[in-house]
Amino acid sequence: MNEEELNNIKTIIDKTNNQKIIQTLNEFKNKIEIMNTQDVNKIFVKKCLNIIYNDVLPKIQELSNIEQSRGIQIKLAFELQKIKQITDILPYIYKKPKNTIFNDDEYMNIPNIEVIILDQPDKIKQQLRNFYKKIYLGHAYANSGKQYQSQVMSYLVKNLKALYYISNQEATNLIATQILTNPTLEHVLKLWRVIDESKIVKAGFKMQLEQIKFKKIIYIPRLFNQITQDSLHNFNTNSTDIHKNILYQIAFRSIRKKQNEHDIRVRVMCNRQIFKQRIYNQDITQIVRNLTKNEFQMQKTQHIQQVQYPMTFFGQCCVSSRNEIGLNDITNIIIHIHGGGFIAMSSFSHQSYTRKWVNQLDNTIIFSIDYRLAPEFPFPIALDDCWQYYMWIVHFGAAYFKISPKNIILIGDSAGGNLALGITIRAIETYQRIPDKIILQYPAVNLNICDIAPSNLKSINDQMIPMGLLMLCRLSYLKNQSDLPNDYYVSPIKTPQNIIQQFPKDFVIFVGQDDVLLDDCVEFVHYCKNNGLENIKLKIFESLPHGFQNIGMRSNGVMAADCANTQIIEQIRQFII
């Protein structure tokens, strides 16, 4: 911070009697002055703190000169909280190495990075402003009625308040601003899980979804070696440690109904019927042989005697010629992992775009997982769910579906992108099948709060995922385990070179230009390119924020986000065979 910037802060302090302003700005200024005496990466620090100098401080100065009504106090508290957040992470900003790519003004000018213009920026920003009003309405709605223990009373008050907030945008903005100044995990979960948990919201969301020909929920058993913190880097390269006879019995079962609480819920979508009418004893037996690497000596247990003939998914024996197998196999398999900060969302809430994929992609099936969520299920539980799901589809998918998985495309957005990279790393390290192609949307490649990128600071003003919410997601997923953020299963940007070199050559990342994770994605692409993955691509949609795929809905959505999704579909189409 130069002398002029320090003087600007001193001027604001000298002209106000507001003790909160004085205290907050003094703490910020004092820490800056201490760090300015150190040998630091001044170019990087300047880039990171520009948002404070150019946006936050002028707002504080303006608000400090206005009579302190309740509304002004709420807005001022919101801006001061931004200063406090930056003050807390200042040590990490100042410790960034001097050789960071962000010191180069041309760091985005490499052949691997492309900026895509979807519409005029002013039009997109107006569309987003209209959409953000709905987000603020959601915050106000989720906060209503919480003081009532009675569910009926809470529901009644919540919906009456919703009518009030719909007609009073200023009141909505104030309550949302107050909430976002210090958001609680309870509030975030209520808001982000509302599509899955509110019957009214769920019904309204369903009405906006495209119709597709085939959609089913299946339940996948856990058959493979689990990923735990103990086995994260001390793993067995065998696929499974389940005894082969038990493995056979568990594998040869209905996936149409949940058998126990450990089953993994997966949404299957396609533009035609893809369940096999029958599953065969011989198919499962051969798969188990391959997994256990031993000859499978089938014991005549009561269970196996019952299933020694072909069966339908409902358990009745049937007789059929096997000539039908393989005639109409789908060769392109999309394994999709949704985002939601590791704490929310589902395969259902992401159908605003996955259903579009189904209708516009031929010879393709989509498997979308509902992994378990933090904080109830912290790292690495979600990763293990996704690994079990991936391995089941790779090994058993063709036995249950009319598929021939010659081309596996792994797709994940945000937290799902992080988990998709975790699956890829695990497949490489345990000598399993690696996905053929990877497409990620705004992936979370770095969960280490000590490793800052300039765009991360945009989160103090971001209306999709403000900094407070980002922190809550990270803390919920990692449970304050200080040794985890540098692990490459948590922060894939730390992945060793020998693993990076084995990533699929067809690898594309999409991100919005106004995404708080943009620079993490840029840094990841540089890192992969410099470590042998020459063909990795980053495509940046101008003016779009984080989570843009979920806001391209037919009504009340953002048209530019829908256009971005069309380009992602085109990319998937280029990857299918």
Side-chain angles (χ1 to χ4, degrees), residues 422-446:
I423 287 176
T424 305
I425 293 166
R426 197 64 169 186
I428 292 168
E429 289 199 308
T430 58
Y431 306 103
Q432 299 298 325
R433 170 157 180 187
I434 302 169
D436 298 282
K437 283 106 177 178
I438 297 179
I439 297 176
L440 305 180
Q441 299 101 344
Y442 34 87
V445 296
N446 192 353

Side-chain angles (χ1 to χ4, degrees), residues 212-224:
I212 55 177
K213 291 183 180 178
F214 181 88
K215 57 183 187 299
K216 293 291 180 185
I217 299 297
I218 62 172
Y219 295 91
I220 290 175
R222 296 175 181 276
L223 304 177
F224 303 94

Side-chain angles (χ1 to χ4, degrees), residues 10 41 148 167 170 176 198 331 345 362 421 424 451 483 504 517:
K10 291 175 184 176
N41 185 346
Y148 298 98
S167 61
E170 180 61 26
S198 167
T331 54
M345 308 296 182
D362 295 326
L421 288 168
T424 305
D451 188 10
D483 57 330
L517 302 184

Side-chain angles (χ1 to χ4, degrees), residues 293 359 393 535 551 565 569:
K293 298 183 176 66
N359 286 333
I393 290 167
N535 295 327
I551 63 178
N565 191 47
I569 291 172

